[in-house]
Amino acid sequence: MDIGDLLADGGVVLRSGASSKRQALHTVAEAAAQALGLPENRVMEALLEREALGSTGLGSGVAVPHARLEGVGRVTAVFVRLDTPVAYGAVDDRPVDLLFALFAPPRDGAEHLRALAAISRALRSPEMREQLRQARTTDAIRALFVKDQAPATAA
């Protein structure tokens, strides 16, 4: 699965200013609503409903908030990097600054799970997390998610 293909156009946000988990999720909802053409309050509500089931904070400063939403045609992602990490209730209790959010159609089970697994694997890498934190542009962030996805060429 090519993670870069999941990222919505305009779906990479480098932003400061979130001082809480709710504000961080609001930033995600704002980006996703614009990318998906859905009302921001619907996206936010879906994210909060999922968080109520348990934190999507994976640890090491990473969270993978996700939701199923009517009106989403295919699994779509947005990436948000916060300048200041926020308390998120992650499994390791560390604050979160990297949020890779997934949105899927309500009845799309397998593709949604494959995307979650691929993102979790990619963000488990300390090198990848550091590169995401150091990247200066949205294009550089996007490139990190596709750099290892290129097919090998025959010699």
Side-chain angles (χ1 to χ4, degrees):
M1 170 170 289
D2 188 339
I3 297 170
D5 285 344
L6 299 176
L7 283 168
D9 290 338
V12 177
V13 178
L14 308 178
R15 176 182 286 187
S16 61
S19 61
S20 68
K21 177 179 180 175
R22 186 175 188 90
Q23 285 183 353
L25 288 172
H26 184 268
T27 300
V28 168
E30 187 176 56
Q34 180 127 14
L36 297 168
L38 296 173
E40 186 179 317
N41 64 335
R42 261 189 55 215
V43 177
M44 183 67 174
E45 184 178 301
L47 288 170
L48 291 174
E49 283 176 15
R50 171 54 190 87
E51 288 299 320
L53 299 174
S55 177
T56 56
L58 302 180
S60 301
V62 173
V64 185
H66 51 281
R68 296 176 189 273
L69 285 164
E70 288 291 342
V72 174
R74 67 175 185 88
V75 176
T76 304
V78 298
F79 176 82
V80 173
R81 184 182 73 201
L82 303 173
D83 287 341
T84 304
V86 297
Y88 199 91
V91 296
D92 62 358
D93 286 325
R94 287 182 53 194
V96 163
D97 63 338
L98 304 175
L99 296 98
F100 197 110
L102 275 178
F103 300 91
R107 288 161 280 293
D108 185 353
E111 189 69 16
H112 179 77
L113 293 176
R114 279 195 295 276
L116 278 170
I119 291 161
S120 296
R121 271 193 307 277
L123 296 176
R124 216 174 307 166
S125 162
E127 295 82 16
M128 174 65 130
R129 292 190 307 267
E130 187 57 29
Q131 289 173 333
L132 289 168
R133 289 181 175 115
Q134 297 303 317
R136 295 191 178 270
T137 66
T138 58
D139 287 341
I141 295 278
R142 187 177 287 278
L144 289 170
F145 287 113
V146 297
K147 71 175 185 173
D148 295 325
Q149 305 291 331
T153 55

